Amino acid sequence: MTVSLEQLRRCHFAVDLGAARTRVYVKGAGLVVDQPSVGAVNTHTGALIAVGEFAEKMTGRTPDYIRVVRPVSGGTVVDIEMAQRMLRHLLGDKMRRALRRKPRLRAAACTPHDADPLATRATIETLVGLGARKVELVDTLIAAAVGCGLPVERPEASMIMVCGAAATQVAVLSLGSIVTAQRIPVGGEAVDHAIVQHLRHQHALLLPSQSVRPLQLALSGNGLTPHGPASTEIHGRDVATGLARSVRVDTAAVRDAIQTPLTAVLDGIGKVLRDCPPDLVADLADRGIMMVGGSALLPGFDQMLRQATGMPVHIAERPDVCVAQGLGFMLEGRIEPLALDPLAA
């Protein structure tokens, strides 16, 4: 693992700073924060107006003097000061006072696979600004695998796929470590963008940024598969006139529009399997792929992976919180490492 389990057991809280949502797990209290990674700032005074759900609702609806800020991009903190202010407000005064009373406050945080030193440093500085005396870093892939119950400590292959907002990470794990992994810069945001561009070019319709997810929900179930509804009605703004307009969208066309970003994900899975030892690939033929992350719930995504890889594909019970749960399990000491004692001479 990125850090020893013994060091993680000493941590008091853990943070999963994602591009879409921020989650905080406090030892003994569980998951206390699960909010969008968004803040709204008054540009005249610099005051923080709102964070989380309320700030996300402001996106695209604010006057000139209010700016909606996303301090995390692609799993990397791009605005340390804003990320600290956002976390303080999300935790609340009561929880922050309880954490400050801990002697030598320790924190754990997730980092994307192969994160560069600057991204790692930004994450550490964000939590140090909250009062943490020491910050332990855990690879997102390992935390996600632990959170969804994969036997990562055993000498057998487990394949995890973390479908995030800005990137998709795929890895094969064995004996508590990553055997081979790939980070693909395609996530839920790329799928959203493909849908928006399709509606703009094919129907001359501008779709509000907050309407992309409802569109996907309208096509839920079998919506993005050939067995789903043939069409659905979408409301937006006409590109030429600027007036409100409704169009009936063909779901087959939407399915074709998102194939391009999802093809990049398939290429990444193929590379991981090619770099993996044959013995582990043989294990995966039975075990398959475990999908976690908010974008794992994209309708029809798992079925497309089954058809493309010929392997079983499973979606975790609560895919959106698996990473935070994995950090929590390690903090609470629920994971027992496999003892590998050296043989006596």
Side-chain angles (χ1 to χ4, degrees):
M1 291 193 177
T2 314
V3 65
S4 74
L5 289 171
E6 187 59 39
Q7 289 172 304
L8 285 171
R9 287 194 188 101
R10 297 174 188 166
C11 293
H12 301 99
F13 72 104
V15 179
D16 173 22
L17 276 170
R21 297 184 76 87
T22 292
R23 297 176 176 92
V24 180
Y25 189 102
V26 175
K27 193 172 185 178
L31 193 65
V32 297
V33 173
D34 184 2
Q35 293 278 338
S37 305
V38 188
V41 180
N42 186 322
T43 56
H44 293 167
T45 64
L48 191 63
I49 298 172
V51 294
E53 298 279 1
F54 188 46
E56 188 174 51
K57 290 178 182 177
M58 293 183 178
T59 305
R61 303 169 185 270
T62 60
D64 291 340
Y65 68 91
I66 296 178
R67 183 166 59 99
V68 176
V69 182
R70 292 184 178 271
V72 185
S73 177
T76 302
V77 178
V78 293
D79 187 337
I80 296 174
E81 182 185 356
M82 188 64 205
Q84 290 173 349
R85 295 174 70 186
M86 180 186 74
L87 279 169
R88 287 192 195 104
H89 281 77
L90 289 176
L91 281 169
D93 293 337
K94 184 178 178 181
M95 185 57 70
R96 283 192 290 121
R97 282 197 299 268
L99 288 174
R100 279 201 299 266
R101 286 196 291 267
K102 304 286 187 184
R104 293 193 58 83
L105 184 64
R106 289 172 174 256
C110 283
T111 54
H113 182 67
D114 284 344
D116 60 76
L118 285 177
T120 301
R121 188 66 192 168
T123 302
I124 293 173
E125 287 187 14
T126 299
L127 297 187
V128 167
L130 289 176
R133 300 289 296 274
K134 187 172 179 59
V135 180
E136 307 288 359
L137 299 179
V138 182
D139 196 301
T140 301
L141 291 162
I142 292 178
V146 170
C148 64
L150 291 179
V152 293
E153 292 295 333
R154 300 191 62 79
E156 50 196 41
S158 299
M159 191 167 190
I160 188 78
M161 179 173 169
V162 181
C163 308
T168 299
Q169 302 175 69
V170 186
V172 175
L173 309 174
S174 181
L175 290 172
S177 298
I178 296 173
V179 178
T180 177
Q182 190 75 14
R183 188 166 183 263
I184 307 122
V186 171
E189 292 174 354
V191 174
D192 294 349
H193 181 71
I195 294 174
V196 169
Q197 291 302 309
H198 166 75
L199 293 174
R200 182 187 180 100
H201 295 148
Q202 298 299 321
H203 300 280
L205 191 76
L206 284 176
L207 192 67
S209 58
Q210 296 184 26
S211 297
V212 181
R213 289 298 177 188
L215 169 59
Q216 293 178 2
L217 291 175
L219 304 176
S220 61
N222 292 323
L224 294 183
T225 67
H227 308 293
S231 64
T232 188
E233 191 172 7
I234 301 299
H235 306 282
R237 192 183 77 185
D238 190 277
V239 172
T241 65
L243 300 175
R245 184 163 65 90
S246 299
V247 297
R248 185 151 286 279
V249 178
D250 181 21
T251 56
V254 175
R255 192 165 61 247
D256 293 339
I258 67 172
Q259 286 300 315
T260 301
L262 295 184
T263 299
V265 175
L266 294 176
D267 292 341
I269 293 174
K271 188 175 188 309
V272 168
L273 292 174
R274 288 194 297 273
D275 295 342
C276 188
D279 290 347
L280 293 181
V281 175
D283 289 347
L284 295 174
D286 297 326
R287 292 178 170 274
I289 305 171
M290 178 65 76
M291 296 175 67
V292 303
S295 299
L297 298 173
L298 179 68
F301 192 14
D302 55 333
Q303 186 170 338
M304 188 192 76
L305 290 178
R306 287 190 198 98
Q307 294 173 349
T309 62
M311 296 166 58
V313 177
H314 315 282
I315 300 177
E317 185 176 349
R318 294 190 62 192
D320 50 339
V321 298
C322 278
V323 176
Q325 281 183 336
L327 285 171
F329 291 164
M330 289 187 262
L331 259 63
E332 303 282 4
R334 299 185 195 176
I335 308 300
E336 290 297 330
L338 182 67
L340 295 175
D341 296 325
L343 298 174

